[in-house]
């Protein structure tokens, strides 16, 4: 017969643990988290248990088990590596009608310790017929689904209200934060950017309103004012709205404008940071934006206007003189003018440059060149936005890594 599962509320209740080895080391912290008053009986204990004892969180009797140790216990854990000791502990507990868990013999154990996990107010316990590895695997799957919101998120009576500005990361759906994915699963309305991880939208429930807020360069575009109005309008209807953006909401994402618009309308706003493509895409291409002895700084620049445009607020001469890495966003169509400005103001023509298109996605590809040749190389290769441009000697670090890898391949 299967076990009768029960959630024990152990706060203030004495729990006896016989044994001070690795099994006890795993079980004692969970008992403490449940508020139990834990007593360990064992001639010796692991360093981790010794720390808990030194902190006064566990009572330790540094001796072998003795008959009578089960007195006053609400639960007993027999965790020694001696079968005869575990049998004696279990027999005493049984005689005194105290539940006992035997770590060495699931069939002889009156109770089983499940694999447990907790996500906010939800506790998960899995027994799997007494198979601890299988139980842990199932537990991990359920806890993961609860954390990312794919299990029952929208039935939560304490669903968030207002607007959440969620950074979706650089493109790969797996690179959104756990919190971001969880809120996305709870949304009534999703307002999604063109560069948001589109693969996640397929997971939305059928009744979720999806609003395409794409801003296609030189093409169809939803104005920022309209987006702000949509966020406020849907939130005022009592719906939970997720504004799903690519990268991070506050890195060239106009998240600040949306936050101000909601605040002015009295709408609560939650901000969930995202992994910005400014560092994630170079990393995906094997290029560190900083490297000891090569670059101690990096600059992230939006090139939505060319260096010679009166609207540009970028200090291009200062960047040219800098020895740091330059990470250029929205720069592909103005790359020739960027290279011209950097060369004019002092950057070496031999400065290595890498341009990465569709970073972190299966379609990712990269072109490497020098500052003097990169515009022509990118044009010839047909590189199109979205793409990240990396300027600096760190590009050589990435190339060196690739060479080492190639040499070590069989």
């Amino acid at each position: 017969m299967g076990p009768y599962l029960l959630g024990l509320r152990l706060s203030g209740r004495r729990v006896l643990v016989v044994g001070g080895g690795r099994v006890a080391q795993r079980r004692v912290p969970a008992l403490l988290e449940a508020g139990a008053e834990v007593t360990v009986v064992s001639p010796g204990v692991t360093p981790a248990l010794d720390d808990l004892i030194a902190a006064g969180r566990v009572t330790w009797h540094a001796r072998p088990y003795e008959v009578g140790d089960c007195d006053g216990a609400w639960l007993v854990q027999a965790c020694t590596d001696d079968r005869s000791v575990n049998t004696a502990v279990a027999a005493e507990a049984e005689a005194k009608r105290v539940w006992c868990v035997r770590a060495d013999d699931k069939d002889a154990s009156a109770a089983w310790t499940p694999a447990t996990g907790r996500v906010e107010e939800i506790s998960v316990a899995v027994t799997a017929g007494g198979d601890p590895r299988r139980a842990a695997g199932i537990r991990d799957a359920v806890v993961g689904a609860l954390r990312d919101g794919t299990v029952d998120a929208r039935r939560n009576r304490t669903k968030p209200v207002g607007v959440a500005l969620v950074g979706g990361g650089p493109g790969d759906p797996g690179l959104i934060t756990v919190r971001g994915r969880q809120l996305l699963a709870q949304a009534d309305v999703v307002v999604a950017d063109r560069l948001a991880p589109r693969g996640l939208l397929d997971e939305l429930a059928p009744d979720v309103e999806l609003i395409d807020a794409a801003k296609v360069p030189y093409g169809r575009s939803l104005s920022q004012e309209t987006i702000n109005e949509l966020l406020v309008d849907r939130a005022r209807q009592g719906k939970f709205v997720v504004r799903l953006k690519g990268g991070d909401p506050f890195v060239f994402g106009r998240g600040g404008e949306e936050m101000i618009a909601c605040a002015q309308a009295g709408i609560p706003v939650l901000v969930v940071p995202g992994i910005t493509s400014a560092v994630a895409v170079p990393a995906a291409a094997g290029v560190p934006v900083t490297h000891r002895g090569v670059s101690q700084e990096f600059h992230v620049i939006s090139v939505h206007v060319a260096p010679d445009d009166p609207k540009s607020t970028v200090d291009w001469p200062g960047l040219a003189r800098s020895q740091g890495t330059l990470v250029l966003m929205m720069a592909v169509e103005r790359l020739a003018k960027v290279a011209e400005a950097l060369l004019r103001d002092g950057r070496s023509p031999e400065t290595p440059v890498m341009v990465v298109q569709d970073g972190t996605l299966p379609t990712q590809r990269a072109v490497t060149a020098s500052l003097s040749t990169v515009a022509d190389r990118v044009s010839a290769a047909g590189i199109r936005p979205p793409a990240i441009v990396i300027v600096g000697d760190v590009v050589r670090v990435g190339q060196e890594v690739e060479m080492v890898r190639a040499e070590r391949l069989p």
Side-chain angles (χ1 to χ4, degrees), residues 131-208:
D131 182 339
R133 291 188 178 181
R134 185 183 180 198
I138 296 170
R139 180 270 320 274
D140 292 343
V142 174
V143 168
L146 285 169
R147 282 179 176 159
D148 65 26
T150 56
V151 171
D152 209 30
R154 300 188 72 219
R155 296 184 183 181
N156 190 336
R157 288 181 294 178
T158 58
K159 187 174 64 174
V161 297
V163 173
L165 306 179
V166 174
D172 181 345
L175 295 179
I176 189 174
T177 64
V178 171
R179 182 59 170 158
R181 190 159 190 161
Q182 184 181 61
L183 291 175
L184 186 63
Q186 294 176 292
D188 300 308
V189 180
V190 175
V191 182
D193 268 357
R194 179 176 66 96
L195 298 181
R198 312 296 290 188
L200 295 175
L201 303 180
D202 290 339
E203 301 176 4
L204 298 176
D207 61 334
V208 174

Side-chain angles (χ1 to χ4, degrees), residues 95-112:
K96 293 177 177 176
R97 296 190 176 185
V98 179
W99 291 105
C100 178
V101 179
R102 285 189 61 165
D104 63 331
D105 190 339
K106 69 181 181 67
D107 295 322
S109 184
W112 294 337

